[in-house]
Amino acid sequence: MLAEDNSIQDMLREKNIRLSHQRLMVLEYMSANHNHPTADQIFNGLKGTVPSLSKTTIYNTMDAFLEAGIIRPVNIEDNEVRYDIVTGEHGHFKCDSCGRIYDFDLDLDHLTSGQLAAFKIDSRDVYFRGTCKECLKSKS
Amino acid sequence: MLAEDNSIQDMLREKNIRLSHQRLMVLEYMSANHNHPTADQIFNGLKGTVPSLSKTTIYNTMDAFLEAGIIRPVNIEDNEVRYDIVTGEHGHFKCDSCGRIYDFDLDLDHLTSGQLAAFKIDSRDVYFRGTCKECLKSKS
DNA sequence: TACAAAATTGAATTCATTACAATTAATAAT
DNA sequence: ATTATTAATTGTAATGAATTCAATTTTGTA
Ligand SMILES: [Mn+2]
Ligand SMILES: [Mn+2]
Ligand SMILES: [Zn+2]
Ligand SMILES: [Zn+2]
């Protein structure tokens, strides 16, 4: 419990992000919920324990975390941004039936042709859509 | 000229999409402009020659084309949808400096691990971001 | 404790997209 | 060719995620 809190605080200090109650709570929420939440979901998940919380603070916080590389955006939906605290290389699968977003491993080194050799690549995103195993089972 | 028009009409008829002046103009625009335009860009590109055009018609038309598989969406930006008349498998690179979107070839068969073996995959999207060759050159 | 800088808050605003009902156009039947 | 049926187009209003901004509060520092 305390160890976790300290590690979260250290993570922010390492990135030169000033500590605030709201930022700690958001980061704690992201660490506990690896379900690629939207700003609205984070807000609704925290407003019970942080009554003064504003949705603008969520957006400000996500911007600060994105800038620092603590989280990364998941743009698998066209109408809202999701956030992922797992920043390592992996792909995302969105089930159009249940809405769940699955992580999957991938090997991006073998993906590209030489066409982008002279380009500076800052981020790589792989998004798949379809129907997940569970939903296929329940439809049979 | 006429040959192109006929091929465009045939493309719509094959997909059981009723012909309309607006749909033909939009499809002609998409065929002539392979730059992944937004609904707004298509609207502004056509309103000169189709004065009665409504932006709602653009959205309705894109929905019909998407449904028929004539075009595919490009969600490389979080705030607006782009459309691509090239539906074959390829990736997209967005230059954060000049805003251009580049196509590139990719080999998706070698990409995935077995984790999605039991999943039904309907669409695959690969989005890279960074700085393009031209912009790197002009900054040197 | 006191000060300066930065973060939080909420209300107002923006803007892409959608909903909807009236009008117009396209296709089929006569 | 005229009419009837059906679908598409249009403009306006509504939606909702995200942004702007100024006032207030909090944080880090001395
Ligand atoms: Mn993930
Ligand atoms: Mn393309
Ligand atoms: Zn599912
Ligand atoms: Zn560029």
Side-chain angles (χ1 to χ4, degrees), chain B residues 18 20 22-23 50 52-54 56-57 60-61:
Chain B
R18 291 164 68 114
S20 76
Q22 290 83 345
R23 285 173 174 175
V50 188
S52 78
L53 191 62
S54 165
T56 302
T57 297
N60 290 340
T61 299

Side-chain angles (χ1 to χ4, degrees), chain A residues 95-100 102 131-135:
Chain A
C95 176
D96 289 322
S97 177
C98 65
R100 262 178 293 202
Y102 293 81
T131 311
C132 78
K133 197 177 175 179
E134 304 302 320
C135 288

